[in-house]
Short mmCIF file of all heavy atoms in Angstrom, two decimals:
data_model
loop_
_atom_site.label_atom_id
_atom_site.label_comp_id
_atom_site.label_asym_id
_atom_site.label_seq_id
_atom_site.Cartn_x
_atom_site.Cartn_y
_atom_site.Cartn_z
N HIS A 174 -12.19 10.83 13.87
CA HIS A 174 -11.30 10.81 12.70
C HIS A 174 -10.55 12.13 12.52
O HIS A 174 -9.38 12.15 12.18
CB HIS A 174 -12.10 10.55 11.43
CG HIS A 174 -13.02 9.38 11.51
ND1 HIS A 174 -14.24 9.43 12.15
CD2 HIS A 174 -12.92 8.13 11.03
CE1 HIS A 174 -14.84 8.26 12.05
NE2 HIS A 174 -14.06 7.44 11.38
N GLN A 198 -15.50 8.88 0.35
CA GLN A 198 -14.66 7.74 -0.02
C GLN A 198 -15.42 6.80 -0.94
O GLN A 198 -14.91 5.72 -1.26
CB GLN A 198 -14.27 6.95 1.24
CG GLN A 198 -13.35 7.66 2.20
CD GLN A 198 -13.16 6.89 3.50
OE1 GLN A 198 -13.53 7.38 4.56
NE2 GLN A 198 -12.58 5.70 3.45
N SER A 228 -9.79 11.55 5.53
CA SER A 228 -11.08 10.93 5.85
C SER A 228 -10.93 9.93 6.98
O SER A 228 -11.63 10.00 7.97
CB SER A 228 -11.64 10.24 4.61
OG SER A 228 -12.93 9.78 4.89
N PHE A 229 -10.05 8.95 6.82
CA PHE A 229 -9.75 7.95 7.85
C PHE A 229 -10.97 7.11 8.21
O PHE A 229 -11.07 6.60 9.33
CB PHE A 229 -9.17 8.62 9.10
CG PHE A 229 -8.09 9.62 8.79
CD1 PHE A 229 -8.29 10.99 9.00
CD2 PHE A 229 -6.88 9.20 8.26
CE1 PHE A 229 -7.29 11.90 8.68
CE2 PHE A 229 -5.89 10.12 7.95
CZ PHE A 229 -6.10 11.47 8.17
N GLY A 230 -11.93 7.00 7.28
CA GLY A 230 -13.13 6.21 7.53
C GLY A 230 -14.37 7.06 7.77
O GLY A 230 -15.48 6.57 7.69
N ALA A 231 -14.20 8.36 8.03
CA ALA A 231 -15.35 9.21 8.37
C ALA A 231 -16.29 9.42 7.18
O ALA A 231 -17.47 9.68 7.37
CB ALA A 231 -14.87 10.57 8.88
N ARG A 233 -16.57 7.20 4.61
CA ARG A 233 -16.71 5.92 3.91
C ARG A 233 -18.18 5.63 3.66
O ARG A 233 -18.56 5.15 2.59
CB ARG A 233 -16.10 4.81 4.78
CG ARG A 233 -16.27 3.43 4.17
CD ARG A 233 -15.78 2.37 5.16
NE ARG A 233 -16.07 1.05 4.65
CZ ARG A 233 -15.17 0.08 4.52
NH1 ARG A 233 -13.93 0.28 4.85
NH2 ARG A 233 -15.53 -1.10 4.07
N THR A 336 -16.42 3.00 10.93
CA THR A 336 -15.05 2.55 10.67
C THR A 336 -14.07 3.69 10.90
O THR A 336 -14.33 4.82 10.52
CB THR A 336 -14.90 2.10 9.21
OG1 THR A 336 -15.31 3.19 8.36
CG2 THR A 336 -15.75 0.90 8.90
N MET A 337 -12.97 3.41 11.52
CA MET A 337 -11.91 4.42 11.66
C MET A 337 -10.54 3.75 11.67
O MET A 337 -10.30 2.85 12.47
CB MET A 337 -12.11 5.22 12.95
CG MET A 337 -11.00 6.22 13.22
SD MET A 337 -11.39 7.33 14.60
CE MET A 337 -9.74 7.87 15.01
N ARG A 338 -9.67 4.18 10.78
CA ARG A 338 -8.24 3.79 10.75
C ARG A 338 -8.02 2.34 11.18
O ARG A 338 -7.69 2.06 12.32
CB ARG A 338 -7.43 4.70 11.66
CG ARG A 338 -7.56 6.15 11.31
CD ARG A 338 -6.68 7.04 12.19
NE ARG A 338 -7.09 8.42 12.03
CZ ARG A 338 -7.05 9.34 12.99
NH1 ARG A 338 -6.57 9.04 14.17
NH2 ARG A 338 -7.45 10.56 12.75
N ALA A 339 -8.16 1.44 10.23
CA ALA A 339 -8.00 0.01 10.49
C ALA A 339 -8.95 -0.46 11.59
O ALA A 339 -8.51 -0.96 12.64
CB ALA A 339 -6.56 -0.36 10.80
N PRO A 340 -10.26 -0.27 11.35
CA PRO A 340 -11.23 -0.67 12.38
C PRO A 340 -11.06 -2.15 12.72
O PRO A 340 -10.98 -2.98 11.84
CB PRO A 340 -12.59 -0.40 11.71
CG PRO A 340 -12.31 -0.40 10.23
CD PRO A 340 -10.91 0.13 10.10
N TYR A 427 -2.56 -6.58 7.99
CA TYR A 427 -3.81 -5.99 7.51
C TYR A 427 -4.24 -6.76 6.26
O TYR A 427 -3.42 -7.04 5.40
CB TYR A 427 -3.65 -4.49 7.20
CG TYR A 427 -5.01 -3.85 7.00
CD1 TYR A 427 -5.75 -3.41 8.09
CD2 TYR A 427 -5.58 -3.78 5.72
CE1 TYR A 427 -7.02 -2.89 7.92
CE2 TYR A 427 -6.85 -3.26 5.56
CZ TYR A 427 -7.57 -2.82 6.66
OH TYR A 427 -8.83 -2.32 6.50
N MET A 455 -7.80 10.73 -1.50
CA MET A 455 -8.05 11.33 -0.18
C MET A 455 -6.75 11.58 0.56
O MET A 455 -6.72 11.58 1.79
CB MET A 455 -9.03 10.49 0.61
CG MET A 455 -8.81 9.00 0.54
SD MET A 455 -10.24 8.18 1.28
CE MET A 455 -9.56 6.56 1.58
N VAL A 492 -15.70 1.27 -3.01
CA VAL A 492 -15.40 2.16 -1.89
C VAL A 492 -13.89 2.20 -1.69
O VAL A 492 -13.20 1.18 -1.85
CB VAL A 492 -16.10 1.65 -0.60
CG1 VAL A 492 -15.65 0.26 -0.22
CG2 VAL A 492 -15.88 2.60 0.58
N SER A 493 -13.35 3.39 -1.41
CA SER A 493 -11.94 3.48 -1.06
C SER A 493 -11.83 3.31 0.45
O SER A 493 -11.60 4.25 1.19
CB SER A 493 -11.34 4.81 -1.52
OG SER A 493 -10.99 4.73 -2.87
N GLY A 494 -12.04 2.09 0.90
CA GLY A 494 -11.95 1.76 2.31
C GLY A 494 -11.29 0.41 2.42
O GLY A 494 -11.20 -0.33 1.43
N GLY A 495 -10.82 0.09 3.60
CA GLY A 495 -10.18 -1.21 3.78
C GLY A 495 -8.91 -1.33 2.95
O GLY A 495 -8.55 -2.43 2.52
N SER A 496 -8.23 -0.22 2.70
CA SER A 496 -6.94 -0.23 1.98
C SER A 496 -7.01 -0.94 0.63
O SER A 496 -6.06 -1.58 0.21
CB SER A 496 -5.85 -0.89 2.85
OG SER A 496 -5.76 -0.28 4.11
N GLU A 694 -3.76 1.19 5.64
CA GLU A 694 -4.01 1.08 7.07
C GLU A 694 -2.95 0.27 7.82
O GLU A 694 -2.92 0.27 9.06
CB GLU A 694 -5.41 0.47 7.31
CG GLU A 694 -6.50 1.49 7.04
CD GLU A 694 -7.82 0.86 6.62
OE1 GLU A 694 -7.92 0.37 5.48
OE2 GLU A 694 -8.76 0.88 7.42
MO1 LIG B 1 -11.23 2.83 6.10
S1 LIG B 1 -11.32 3.14 8.13
O1 LIG B 1 -11.49 1.17 5.94
O2 LIG B 1 -12.49 3.70 5.43
#
Side-chain angles (χ1 to χ4, degrees):
H174 310 79
Q198 293 173 243
S228 186
F229 314 112
R233 177 186 174 127
T336 55
M337 176 171 159
R338 303 183 194 147
Y427 192 84
M455 42 190 198
V492 60
S493 277
S496 306
E694 285 153 287

